[in-house]
Amino acid sequence: MAEQHILMDSREIAGALKRMAREIRERNGDCTDLVLMGVQRAGVTLARRLARLLEKELGRPVPVGTLDVAMHRDDLDQRLAPHVHPTHIPGDITGKVVVLVDDVLFSGRTTRAALDALNDFGRARRVQLAVLVDRGHRELPIRADFVGKNVPTAPADHIEMRLDEEGGEDAVYLMRP
Amino acid sequence: MTWTRKHLLDIESLSAEEIQHILATARAFKAVGERAIKKVPALRGKTVVNLFVEPSTRTRTSFELSAIRLSADVINFTAEASSLKKGETLKDTARNLEALNTDIIIIRHSAAGAPHFLARVLDASVVNAGDGAHEHPTQALLDAFTMLEKKGRIAGLKVTILGDILYSRVARSNIWLLTKLGAEVTLCGPSTLVPRQFERMGCRVTYHLEEAIRDADVLNLLRIQHERQRKTMFPGTGEYAALFGLNSARLKLTKPDALIMHPGPINRGVEIESWIADSDRSVILDQVNNGLAVRMAVLYLINGGQGPQELGGSN
């Protein structure tokens, strides 16, 4: 029977995203060239939430895109065929500052795949990485620029993200086998 | 759902859910084809063999380009230029290809069941690109994808398949697929080419052309396959055009938004008048374009559908 520990409740998630939005703004000045790209699927929800927070601060819309990395993963033949979700790029990203947004940073392989996928759409001036949870165990030299929460985990643990946009539960759980 | 199949051999054995999954995956691959960079690395390092024992240009080219867009290495192998001409068996040919570390074999063969046979004797994944008069699964999938794209649904659509049903693998795969997804399928053509026993597959058979086309949301015209016909099936192409060809007068009887489809190659002036094939009502070139997306999706899915289980913690 797996143990389940709550890592973040809705209040903590909201607080972490608010802080991350502030850090993104501090790092990128007036954010004129900023594009948020959510990594399918939970990253998309988080990117939209971050965009809403930034829009409130900046008083103007912040473009949000969605990026599917399934076709760029390096472990395709070790998995059952993963689902492919739509990629949507809001305009030309060449010369823009792209903030990749994902839910969990673990081995770093999804981020590597996301960087490859992003390259197909143009040459961003700078790419930054925002994640809600950094759980460690990196297999590649990748680190996040904006982190909601650092969580020490065992490799076999699983982080479960419940992000409900329709009033359901909004929480992050650590599942320990 | 999670895709677990290693091969794509037919539509008959697929569930409605599996068909929907391929179509949903194809939608994402269609978007890849519209980008400036049309390649993704999903099959990098994999070898795909196009084993076309029966001649074909468009299907082979479509599979070839699909595999290339997935970054696979592709070998084209045609019967004319192979040891099959020298008497080698299909099994031996395929085993030789597999000894070259082939990952996916796409086979077209004049014998029904040839892909199923290969799937039993080889470790590689097998895709059926047409086996005799049996099935042509990717054609049915690209037809359905086109209908879905243009009409927004399959369930409840009235689809008329017109022409040579008896000899058509395209018709068989289409009937399986469309009835599984809830479309109403009507078959029409010369009675020698549309036997009543097709009604057992869950579709309607009629020999009244006007009735068959009047309510249809989709008209799928099949090619008259001269190469498979026996002389007794119908008197000649002129008579076929006069009795069953889609011409201006008959077009007026159809719904103004009915789609006109054809798997190609078209016999202009036989199944369809030339100007209709080139008109706005025709989605024939959309079918060709969608074939790439569907075949990319199929190759992608069967390549991944071999692992022991889905890994958790994908980050």
Side-chain angles (χ1 to χ4, degrees), chain A residues 39 68 70-73 75-87 102-112 116-117 119-121 135 157-158, chain B residues 1-4 21 24-25 28-29 31-32 35-37 39-44 46 70 300-315:
Chain A
V39 177
D68 186 79
M71 292 178 255
H72 290 78
R73 290 198 62 98
D75 57 355
L76 254 182
D77 49 5
Q78 293 164 37
R79 314 158 53 92
L80 293 176
H83 289 217
V84 181
H85 300 284
T87 288
D102 205 354
D103 54 349
V104 181
L105 181 57
F106 182 26
S107 66
R109 288 178 189 270
T110 299
T111 306
R112 184 213 58 78
D116 273 2
N119 249 345
D120 283 357
F121 295 98
R135 58 169 293 192
D157 291 347
H158 178 66
Chain B
M1 69 154 289
T2 304
W3 185 267
T4 54
H21 187 65
T25 307
F29 280 105
V32 172
R35 294 180 193 167
I37 296 175
K39 276 179 98 158
V40 288
L43 292 192
R44 189 162 53 199
K46 302 285 175 179
L70 292 167
Y300 170 81
L301 288 171
I302 62 165
N303 176 56
Q306 299 171 54
Q309 56 188 328
E310 188 145 20
L311 304 175
S314 60
N315 292 280

Side-chain angles (χ1 to χ4, degrees), chain A residues 3 10 18 32 41 79 96 118-119 135 137 148 154 157:
Chain A
E3 290 175 45
S10 66
K18 209 167 171 184
T32 42
R41 300 183 71 187
R79 314 158 53 92
K96 300 281 173 68
L118 200 62
N119 249 345
R135 58 169 293 192
H137 305 286
D157 291 347

